[in-house]
Every structure is written in C-alpha cells, then in structure tokens.
C-alpha cells in the first residue's frame, strides 16, 4: 500500500514513466481490503440476535457499518500521496472507538473487529508500530475472555490475530522492498542516461569545436592572402556549427547515431583543414554491421585527438571486420594523462564486449620522420581483418 517515493530527476531526464501512470495496486488496493469485509457478518449477526431493544441493535449495526466505511476510507487515504502516518493513526483511533462502542450489545463478538484494525495497521503503518499494535491485540485477546469468563473463544482469537497481523506486515514489508528496488533501478537508469548524454555531448562538441577552431585559424591566415578561400573556410565553419547544433539536439533526445562512412568523411575534412594527410585502409562495408556505430564513435574521438594533440603529418585509419586502428606520426602520448574522451570511448567499447588500447605507434609510423607517434586500437571480436585496401587522400 505504501507508494515508493517519486523521482523528479527521472522526469527531468525523460527516463521515468509519466506522472499520470499510477500503479494499479495504489489505485485499487482498497478493493482488496473490501473483500475481507464479508467477515463482518459475524459481529453483524451478533448485533441482530442480541437480546436488547431494537433501537440498540439498530445503533450497533450502524456502528459496525460505520466501522467498515472508516476502514475502507483509511485504506483509500493511505493510497493518496502523501498520506501521513498521523492521519492513519486517526483512522485507527476512530475504528477502535467504534469497536469499543459495540461492546455493550455484542460483547466479546466485538473482538471480531480487531483483525480489520490489524490488517490496516500492517499495510499502512511502519513495521514497528504494526507489531506493537499486534502485541496489544494479543493481550486484549487473552484478558477480555478471562474477564468475561468465556475461555472457549480464546483459542480462536489467539490464532486469527497473529495470522492476520503478521501476514499483512510481511506483505507490506515485501511491497516496500519492491518499491525501493524500483526506485534504485530508476536511479540507475537515470545515471546511465546522464552518462550517455555526457559522453555523446563530449564526442559531438569535442570534434566539431576542434574542426571549427582549425578552420577559423586557417581563415584568419588566409583573409589577406586569399579572401575567397577564407570565405569558403568560414562558410564551412558555419555549416559545421549548424550540424553540431542539430547533433546536440538529437543527442539530448536520444536519437544521435554515428555512421562510419560519415565519420570517415568528417575525419578527412578535419585532418585536411589541419594540414594533415589521411590514409584509410579497409572499407566501411567490410566492418560487421553490429560494430559500425561503435567504431564510428571511435574514429570521431581518435581523429579529434590527432588534430588537437599530435602535431602529425599523417594519420592512418585501418578498418577490419571487428576492429579499428588509428595511427599517427606525431609527438606521441608519453607522459600524458588519458582524457575524458578516451575514457568515454572505453565505456562504449566495453559495453559491447571489446577493448581499447592506446600507446606509442611502431617506430617509423606513417612517413617515418616524426618518431613513434600514437596508436589507438579498438577490438570488438576475434575475427581477423579481411580484405584491407588502401585509399590515400592528399591534402
């Protein structure tokens, strides 16, 4: 009956269900409570058969019916957030007073109303309070028959009270535990979505801003020497900026999907603008379709780092069925800390069961005049590279 706390963060991230979707248990839990009202037939029967004036019998029947209505109203109130414990205590107090008021007419039969109070407390109150009420009810079940000298009914109440109370307390505890698990899962989903958005935004903006910076610097150098070329570079800057804005919007909406062919074309554009030459070995068609999206992100991140940090003249991209390598002939990565971009790439690849390695390239990489350079390798499976071809793009 206790509704788990809602998580407004999930709504902000678009990861939680609509606030209008209500758990059926919360909406209709009171109906389950109403089923057990059939057992009020026993105290009602005692009231009908009581050897008292008709007016007192009618009044007692009205008290029992009122008890039933308060019982149902209490369950309904517990289902309505926030439903404070203080208000639930008030419902229990009213039910207790109504049950007590029936004692002059139906006597010990009034003890038949106590299980309804135990079920209500078991579902609506904290476990400790429900157990305290169960203990008090057990004492009442012993003391009342002893005082009335009707010990024949003692066994019934000693059996039914713990059965009802403990069963409902257990159900409530399990329901609360399930609610906490749902909340934890929701928070985990929100966290994963945040990481996805942060990773995608970094990859999109990092690449686009790097290219924009390179082309802006080139246009600045060309503005006096070759104004037309400078205008063309600035036109590309405008186009890239618009594309980056569209990609950011798509990323936030969860629709951004990198395409390997597009990333290779963007890599050529970025490297050319930075005065570097690109060699592509292999073809996107050779890559397993299952791996193309991940490898496309790897191309984007690797080329961004080459443009930013390498100072290289040549960049080689080698594609295989389930792997990728990006090698440059620049200054290398010795003594440099791994950045957030590579960390995000590792997360993407490891989610697909692959691995990422980053280190010095082989001596003489590329043109061979700049030292060992840097080698980034992404592996997503055990198949060997197939059908590698070489396409050289001159700058």
């Amino acid at each position: 009956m206790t509704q788990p706390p809602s998580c407004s963060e999930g709504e902000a991230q678009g990861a939680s269900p609509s606030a209008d979707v209500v758990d059926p248990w919360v909406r209709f839990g009171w109906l389950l409570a109403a089923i057990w009202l059939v057992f009020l037939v026993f105290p009602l029967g005692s009231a009908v058969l009581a050897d008292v004036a008709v007016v007192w019998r009618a009044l007692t029947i009205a008290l029992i019916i009122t008890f039933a209505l308060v019982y149902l109203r209490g369950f309904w109130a517990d289902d309505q957030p926030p439903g404070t414990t203080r208000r639930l205590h008030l419902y229990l107090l009213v039910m207790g007073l109504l049950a007590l008021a029936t004692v002059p007419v139906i006597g010990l039969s009034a003890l038949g109303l106590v299980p309804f109070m135990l079920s209500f407390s078991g579902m609506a109150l904290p476990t400790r309070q429900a157990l305290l009420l169960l203990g008090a009810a057990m004492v009442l079940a012993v003391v009342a028959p002893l005082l009335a000298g009707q010990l024949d009914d003692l066994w019934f109440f000693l059996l039914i009270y713990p059965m009802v109370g403990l069963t409902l307390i257990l159900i409530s505890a399990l329901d609360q535990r399930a609610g906490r698990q749902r909340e934890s899962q929701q928070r985990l989903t929100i966290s994963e979505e945040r990481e996805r958005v942060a990773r995608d935004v970094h990859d999109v903006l990092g690449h686009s801003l790097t290219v924009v910076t390179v082309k802006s610097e080139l246009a600045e150098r060309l503005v006096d020497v070759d104004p037309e070329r400078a205008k063309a570079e600035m036109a590309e800057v405008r186009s890239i900026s618009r594309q980056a804005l569209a990609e950011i919007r798509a990323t936030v909406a969860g629709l951004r999907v990198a395409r390997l062919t597009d990333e290779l074309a963007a890599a050529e554009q970025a490297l050319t603008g930075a005065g570097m030459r690109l060699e592509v070995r292999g073809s996107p068609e050779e890559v397993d379709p299952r791996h193309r999206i991940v490898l496309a992100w790897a191309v984007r991140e690797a080329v961004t780092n080459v443009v930013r940090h390498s100072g290289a003249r040549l960049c080689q991209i080698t594609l295989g069925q389930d792997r990728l390598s990006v090698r440059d002939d620049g200054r290398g990565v010795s003594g440099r800390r791994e950045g957030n971009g590579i960390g995000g790439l590792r997360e993407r690849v490891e989610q697909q069961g692959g691995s990422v390695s980053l280190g010095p390239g082989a001596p003489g990489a590329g043109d061979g005049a700049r030292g060992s350079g840097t080698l980034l390798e992404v592996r997503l499976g055990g198949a060997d590279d197939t059908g590698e071809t070489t396409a050289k793009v001159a700058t």
Side-chain angles (χ1 to χ4, degrees):
M1 298 297 296
T2 304
Q3 186 179 13
S6 61
C7 185
S8 59
E9 291 178 328
E11 295 174 0
Q13 294 295 331
S16 66
S18 171
D20 296 332
V21 179
V22 182
D23 188 341
W25 175 259
V26 171
R27 294 184 60 185
F28 304 112
W30 64 273
L31 289 177
L32 181 61
I35 295 175
W36 302 105
L37 291 178
V38 66
F39 291 102
L40 286 179
V41 68
F42 299 108
L44 283 172
S46 298
V48 171
L49 299 176
D51 187 18
V52 295
V54 174
V55 63
W56 293 112
R57 280 184 284 175
L59 179 59
T60 302
I61 292 172
L63 289 172
I64 295 173
I65 293 175
T66 304
F67 177 94
L69 294 176
V70 174
Y71 169 76
L72 290 178
R73 182 64 176 82
F75 269 95
W76 183 84
D78 179 44
D79 288 341
Q80 308 304 310
T84 62
T85 303
R86 183 176 180 180
R87 182 166 55 169
L88 300 178
H89 287 162
L90 179 61
Y91 283 108
L92 273 174
L93 177 61
V94 172
M95 283 189 282
L97 293 175
L98 289 170
L100 186 62
T102 65
V103 172
V105 174
I106 65 176
L108 285 182
S109 294
L111 293 176
L113 300 175
V114 175
F116 294 92
M117 299 173 63
L118 293 177
S119 67
F120 177 79
S121 65
M123 294 299 292
L125 296 183
T127 300
R128 179 176 298 180
Q129 296 182 20
L131 288 174
L132 288 175
L133 185 60
L134 175 59
M138 294 297 292
V139 172
L140 179 64
V142 173
V143 173
L146 286 175
L147 294 177
Q150 301 179 21
L151 299 181
D152 292 341
D153 296 330
L154 180 60
W155 68 270
F156 176 78
F157 296 116
L158 291 180
L159 177 66
I160 199 67
Y161 283 10
M163 183 182 300
V164 172
L166 293 177
T167 299
L168 273 296
I169 289 173
L170 178 60
I171 292 175
S172 178
L174 292 176
D175 184 56
Q176 291 174 12
R177 181 175 180 180
R180 289 192 294 268
Q181 289 179 338
R182 289 192 297 269
E183 183 181 359
S184 297
Q185 183 61 43
Q186 186 181 44
R187 292 184 182 278
L188 178 60
T189 301
I190 292 170
S191 177
E192 291 176 347
E193 183 67 8
R194 282 175 171 170
E195 291 178 0
R196 180 196 67 81
V197 172
R199 187 170 56 240
D200 289 358
V201 167
H202 173 276
D203 291 345
V204 170
L205 281 184
H207 177 80
S208 299
L209 292 179
T210 296
V211 177
V212 166
T213 300
V214 170
K215 287 189 170 295
S216 298
E217 292 174 349
L218 179 59
E220 185 179 7
R221 292 195 299 269
L222 293 173
V223 67
D224 295 325
V225 180
D226 190 347
E228 292 302 320
R229 175 74 183 279
K231 289 181 180 179
E233 294 294 338
M234 292 308 300
E236 288 191 24
V237 167
R238 181 175 63 250
S239 176
I240 293 169
S241 300
R242 288 176 176 173
Q243 181 182 354
L245 180 60
E247 289 180 341
I248 287 296
R249 289 172 175 168
T251 295
V252 173
L255 303 176
R256 167 64 179 162
V257 177
R259 300 182 184 277
L260 186 54
T261 303
D262 295 341
E263 295 304 329
L264 289 172
E268 177 186 350
Q269 183 183 45
L271 291 166
T272 299
M276 303 178 191
R277 186 159 55 91
L278 173 65
E279 287 184 1
V280 179
R281 297 182 176 182
S283 169
E285 287 73 20
E286 298 173 11
V287 178
D288 189 324
R290 297 172 300 173
H291 303 324
R292 289 177 185 173
I293 293 177
V294 175
L295 294 186
W297 284 112
V299 168
R300 171 177 283 245
E301 176 59 31
V303 170
T304 300
N305 286 338
V306 170
V307 173
R308 280 180 175 175
H309 308 301
S310 72
R313 293 182 301 185
L314 174 67
C315 177
Q316 295 176 333
I317 298 178
T318 303
L319 299 170
Q321 182 178 351
D322 53 11
R323 66 193 62 188
L324 164 79
S325 68
V326 180
R327 187 196 307 270
D328 66 66
D329 63 349
R331 60 178 63 97
V333 293
S334 178
R336 291 165 60 182
R337 185 173 60 88
E338 188 174 288
N340 293 332
I342 295 298
L345 176 60
R346 286 188 189 279
E347 291 180 7
R348 289 183 190 274
V349 174
E350 288 173 359
Q351 286 174 1
Q352 302 297 321
S355 62
V356 175
S357 63
L358 177 67
D367 287 342
R370 308 290 309 278
S372 63
T374 303
L375 174 63
L376 172 72
E377 292 184 297
V378 177
R379 296 179 180 272
L380 291 164
D384 294 332
D385 292 353
T386 58
E388 291 185 349
T389 59
T390 302
K392 293 188 177 182
V393 182
T395 61

